[in-house]
Amino acid sequence: MEYLQGRALTNAVGNLGLTGEYSDALRTLGYTLEDTAGVERNMGLGNGGLGRLAACFLDSIATLDLPAWGYGLRYKYGLFKQAIEDGVQKEYADDWLEVGNPWEMKRETQYPIGFYGEVVDGKWVPGANIRAVAYDSPIPGYKTKNCISLRLWDAEVAPKEFDLASFNACDYDKSMRETNLASQLCAVLYPGDATREGKALRLSQQYMLCSASVQDILARFKERGNTDWSKLPEKVAIQMNDTHPTLAAPELMRILMDQEGMDWDTAWALTTKTVAYTNHTVMPEALEKWPLELMTELLPRHVEIIKRIDEEFIASVKATYPKATPEELERKIGAMRILENYMTPAEELKAKAKAAAAKAAKLEALAAKAAAGEEVAVEDDEEWSAPAPMVRMANLCCISGFAINGVAAIHSEIVRTFTFKDFGELWPEKFQNKTNGVTPRRWLAFCNPQLSSVITEAIGTDEWVTDTALLEKLGPLAKDPELQKKWRAAKQERKALCAKMVEETTGVKVSTDAMFDIQIKRIHEYKRQLLNIMGIIHRYNEMKAMSPEERANVTPRVCIFGGKAYATYLQAKRIVRLVTAVGEVVNNDPEIGDLLKVVFVPDYNVSLAETLIPASELSQHISTAGTEASGTSNMKFQMNGCLIIGTLDGANVEIRECVGEDNFFLFGIEEPEVEPARAERAAGKFEPDPRFTAVMDTIKSGVFGKPGEFDELLWSLEGNEGFGRGDYFLVAKDFPSYIECQDKVSAAYKDQDAWTESSIISTAFSGKFNSDRTIDQYATEIWDIKPLPVP
Ligand SMILES: *Cc1c(COP(=O)(O)O)cnc(C)c1O
């Protein structure tokens, strides 16, 4: 559902190996490559890491000459543009197609997509029909002759489906039904789904992606002359990037049975060898569920299929565990089945009878009390109703997928042993790990030509651009004064470019002699931007209390934040506001000057990342242990010689193993300690560190922003219980070790030779996080495909 492509020009020219020639040609026309590239709109059809991962994967697939494509939707508006007005986030539509998109090619390929309607004689008769139309964007591989496609579907109304009769009869609502549906379908990436209409739209988008893509895949299978359906799993693998494309499984079943005439068992055997699932989150509240009632209205035939998959799965669990106690069996089925709160009519009547009996008993007891002369209060009669049944998409993925993978070693373990524990016991062979990666073309070679030429010169070849294991040759040179000098010069050049951008976008002048300390990612409580800004407040308070001599000893820092908050996520927006409010005070404090600057750069996107990451010296990846599946910006920073301060979470664990503990600033509790820490808090046994309490008090005192402005934000860190209360993400718990670790960072930065050595080692051992490695593992361990170079 998401591709966060960013700009294509620099990447396309670079992958063709024509950067120099293209740049010269532009100069003869009076332009520079940089300025020309800067005119291109960012293709922002994704929210963050998940969509950017898909974009890196496409680059690696093309570079490795693998026969694979990306499928998605051609949203008219990408992820919103973020502006900061009076320190507060404002959202504006991103009309990225406004001036046209020179890369895409509209194809004649179209497929009908049905919605609503009913099932007649076992087949679906949709009540509304639109067409999905293919737009292809070429994805060139690095120095290959090959281009793969990113195929994005747009929704259109077929002329013959336009209801002219109703229009002429002036029934515009009816005549425009398909037209309206089509124009809404691809309007925006992730429409708000707070209402039923919003949910229906979002689910329709998912279905359109799945139906069009599955139809396209099967059409190509036939076009290539395949007539033997049993070959389908050999020829095709469908990788579902999270649960958003789960409907691909029931859609494949529907087409194989209702259009190709297969029986259930044959279709099911093929489907379960064709689709595979990547999990991207372990937070239970983020696992996708849809109301069964809504799905039944929108996709009646698919719901029949899902119900049967569910029934057969339950039967197979019963058969697999003949010795389990009834309670254990019920628990297992409850955890794994697709439908939640679902009851057959008989079960519903039984539940109703049980509720009625309980009520009767209660009334009898009250009557007895009343008879004994006691005063009794009779509550209002409430009609008993069953909880709304839901379709759990991740469970459907686990049941229909032949492989289930997480995206970093620690995450894959949590997925197998906790999130999908019962599936892990039932089908251990399905579970895999595929640690994420990023493309070294975009994220090092092209975004940081300064460091790239230093690397190429040092190791004597530019083949590291694909063979990132070659970067290890930098390891033995890490102490070399000549290399260190060039390394630092490249970093300085990038810091100057970044400082220019920061001044242009925020008006704040920053010193390039200060350490560039960066946290850029979606704003989320679990990512703990709050921990970062509270650490900054602590440091500011400390500096204010220092003598001038002590102050002269402080390591100067420029603290840069960037990231978008989901438009309705109030707590995240308050965190943005706290950062800008702290910046307003600190940046204008003459006592502090260049010792500390705090800036929030607006509208974080791929291009901004390409400017910030090469300039970074320290970056923060400080999520509560066990909450960040992998993270990928940590890998981009590492490649660019940036040191990381982080928790043992996601891919940080593996990055630390690669660079060595001496080159990673580790703090915070570990994943197994998280639940006990929450329990300690809930039991009222946690005493926050006085330095944390002091920061809370500073914020409450109204030094930053308006008095009371952050009360609701701080509320989440207070109290003892519940989600959104009682410091669920353990900011207070990790605060002491965080600020102590930051002191170590400041001390380490003073020894520039040692720091540069660590920086070189970071890049040297970043080879594992090349997305070519990740994709090679998907290709061999899941998809079973081999490179197919264009001759
Ligand atoms: C890499 C990237 C992300 C992912 O960042 P994390 O820190 O791993 O969450 C998000 N947005 C953009 C624009 C990126 O380039």
Side-chain angles (χ1 to χ4, degrees), residues 523-541:
I523 311 294
H524 206 293
E525 285 164 287
Y526 86 80
K527 292 179 183 273
R528 297 201 294 191
Q529 282 91 355
L530 200 45
L531 179 58
N532 184 354
I533 192 66
M534 290 181 84
I536 290 170
I537 295 170
H538 165 76
R539 221 170 316 135
Y540 177 63
N541 283 346

Side-chain angles (χ1 to χ4, degrees), residues 4 48-49 52 443 520-521 527 604-606 609 631-633 636:
L4 201 52
R52 184 53 235 174
W443 294 113
I520 43 174
K521 44 183 82 243
K527 292 179 183 273
Y604 176 52
N605 62 13
V606 172
T632 48
S633 80
K636 302 167 194 166

Side-chain angles (χ1 to χ4, degrees), residues 539-558:
R539 221 170 316 135
Y540 177 63
N541 283 346
E542 271 189 341
M543 281 157 68
K544 292 296 280 182
M546 282 177 188
S547 66
E549 297 76 51
E550 285 172 320
R551 232 177 254 157
N553 235 344
V554 167
T555 300
R557 290 202 200 207
V558 176

Side-chain angles (χ1 to χ4, degrees), residues 377-521:
V378 181
E379 293 157 31
D380 273 351
D381 262 0
E382 258 182 43
E383 188 63 49
W384 180 85
S385 64
M390 307 291 278
V391 182
R392 295 185 288 193
M393 303 308 260
N395 296 40
L396 179 50
C397 284
C398 289
I399 294 169
S400 48
F402 69 89
I404 302 163
N405 74 281
V407 290
I410 179 179
H411 166 64
S412 294
E413 272 311 288
I414 296 172
V415 164
R416 185 178 61 84
T417 61
F418 177 74
T419 317
F420 301 129
K421 179 171 182 289
D422 294 289
F423 285 115
E425 288 164 10
L426 181 63
W427 293 315
E429 70 283 358
K430 280 196 191 187
F431 285 78
Q432 301 195 20
N433 172 243
K434 297 286 165 280
T435 298
N436 281 168
V438 300
T439 166
R441 273 73 66 184
R442 179 178 296 265
W443 294 113
L444 179 52
F446 305 149
C447 78
N448 197 348
Q450 293 80 358
L451 193 66
S452 294
S453 40
V454 174
I455 295 170
T456 299
E457 196 192 320
I459 66 184
T461 169
D462 67 358
E463 279 171 26
W464 59 267
V465 175
T466 46
D467 183 3
T468 43
L470 289 172
L471 292 170
E472 287 181 21
K473 292 192 171 186
L474 292 167
L477 306 173
K479 281 187 198 300
D480 179 62
E482 271 308 299
L483 178 61
Q484 286 208 351
K485 206 170 133 204
K486 288 177 191 158
W487 198 267
R488 274 199 289 269
K491 188 62 83 184
Q492 272 317 110
E493 200 178 327
R494 296 308 308 229
K495 283 171 74 177
L497 286 174
C498 179
K500 189 162 160 272
M501 180 276 291
V502 166
E503 191 176 352
E504 279 164 14
T505 56
T506 67
V508 180
K509 241 191 160 66
V510 299
S511 162
T512 53
D513 293 331
M515 179 204 305
F516 276 30
D517 167 350
I518 303 185
Q519 188 179 21
I520 43 174
K521 44 183 82 243

